[in-house]
Amino acid sequence: MKILVADDSRVMRQIVIRTLRQAGFGDHDVVEAPDGAAAHTVVQEENPDLVLSDWNMPNMSGIELLHALRAGGKQVPFAFVTSECSQDMKNLAEAGGALCVITKPFTADAFKEHLAPFLESA
């Protein structure tokens, strides 16, 4: 299984990848993207099985990325990992078809709780 981690912070991408390992998902391949536009390209080229995306990124936000993927017919499972998490954002994410919203700061347990149903059944 291949996971795309999209965040404009290289450090945060590394923290997400480390947390995936700590949560027991370290055997999956990981690809990275530094913004939403790059993530859109990576999805087209790498065909990941899961996208973990920040909400606020330059060039294309996470929600714009999700909408662009769905408009282009890509149904790749998608989850947000973000520092902001209002009910409006959760509603937008859910309406766009996101699996979940994981709020920063997060723990390996939070990753297990939200991602295990998907990653362990795939």
Side-chain angles (χ1 to χ4, degrees), residues 5-106:
V5 177
D7 196 304
D8 55 321
S9 166
R10 185 183 63 78
V11 172
M12 185 52 65
R13 291 195 307 271
Q14 294 307 307
I15 292 170
V16 169
I17 292 167
R18 183 182 69 215
T19 305
L20 281 167
R21 279 192 228 114
Q22 292 170 339
F25 307 125
D27 57 336
H28 300 292
D29 294 331
V30 176
V31 291
E32 300 177 46
D35 61 44
H40 189 268
T41 299
V42 170
V43 169
Q44 307 305 318
E45 294 175 352
E46 298 278 340
N47 214 16
D49 301 292
L50 173 66
V51 176
L52 298 178
S53 176
D54 190 13
W55 190 281
N56 293 311
M57 297 183 287
N59 300 319
M60 180 185 284
S61 71
I63 193 69
E64 290 170 338
L65 170 62
L66 176 58
H67 289 159
L69 292 173
R70 296 302 186 251
K74 289 285 187 182
Q75 296 300 317
V76 59
F78 195 105
F80 286 100
V81 180
T82 183
S83 58
E84 300 173 49
C85 190
S86 68
Q87 190 58 49
D88 286 345
M89 291 173 73
K90 284 184 178 180
N91 292 343
L92 278 172
E94 184 178 320
L99 294 172
C100 61
V101 178
I102 300 172
T103 307
K104 299 173 189 171
F106 46 76

